[in-house]
Amino acid sequence: MAKLILKTGRKAGLEYSVADGLILGRKLEAPVHVNDVKASREHAKVIAEGPRFHLVDLNSTNGTFVNDNRVSRVLLSHGDQVRIGRTVFEFHDPAAATAAPPPATKTAAPPKIDLGGAPPKQINVKLQPGKKRVPRRKR
């Protein structure tokens, strides 16, 4: 049986059985309550597709991360680290650990975009004596 194991916080080691439609979030009624200020009330959802499980971000403000990669939807594999805010869970699925990996699919490379024209010209700025240059904020 697949499960999420809480790896951080005072309740580390707590296990949640994974089922289709399982919601992870900050609201108290969530089946997997995430006590983290960076978590949305309904942050992410587990979706079952046959014997495999997907994790779907529910348009959360701060994002859902699997193995330190921000995801919107991802197929969970045995041992994956799921992070919501500072809260970390580990996905365990003994069936997936022993099953053969799915066949690799080839994805097309993103198209190259040619904006045309010459690169932007350099702009020279002359400062008047006694004037200080104000540094720009980084974006």
Side-chain angles (χ1 to χ4, degrees):
M1 170 132 238
K3 58 188 171 183
L4 285 171
I5 301 173
L6 183 61
K7 302 303 265 181
T8 56
R10 286 184 276 170
K11 295 185 178 182
L14 192 61
E15 297 182 2
Y16 299 92
S17 293
V18 175
D20 189 38
L22 182 72
I23 300 285
L24 295 85
R26 194 182 71 234
K27 75 177 184 179
L28 293 174
E29 298 82 22
V32 178
H33 175 71
V34 181
N35 190 15
D36 192 310
V37 295
K38 299 265 185 183
S40 296
R41 287 184 293 277
E42 289 191 349
H43 198 98
K45 182 178 188 176
V46 174
I47 296 175
E49 289 185 2
R52 310 299 302 262
F53 293 96
H54 290 262
L55 183 69
V56 179
D57 182 81
L58 298 175
N59 297 317
S60 64
T61 303
N62 295 307
T64 302
F65 295 81
V66 174
N67 301 327
D68 291 324
N69 296 308
R70 189 172 182 154
V71 297
S72 57
R73 180 185 175 106
V74 66
L75 175 65
L76 291 172
S77 298
H78 182 75
D80 280 348
Q81 300 283 313
V82 176
R83 182 170 55 85
I84 295 174
R86 294 182 182 164
T87 305
V88 178
F89 297 89
E90 188 169 304
F91 179 73
H92 280 259
D93 188 0
T98 58
T105 57
K106 200 171 190 178
T107 57
K112 292 184 179 182
I113 300 173
D114 182 16
L115 300 177
K121 294 181 180 180
Q122 184 176 355
I123 299 173
N124 294 321
V125 177
K126 293 182 181 179
L127 298 175
Q128 296 177 0
K131 298 274 183 169
K132 292 184 179 178
R133 184 173 180 188
V134 179
R136 292 185 178 196
R137 292 187 329 192
K138 292 182 179 179
R139 292 185 182 196

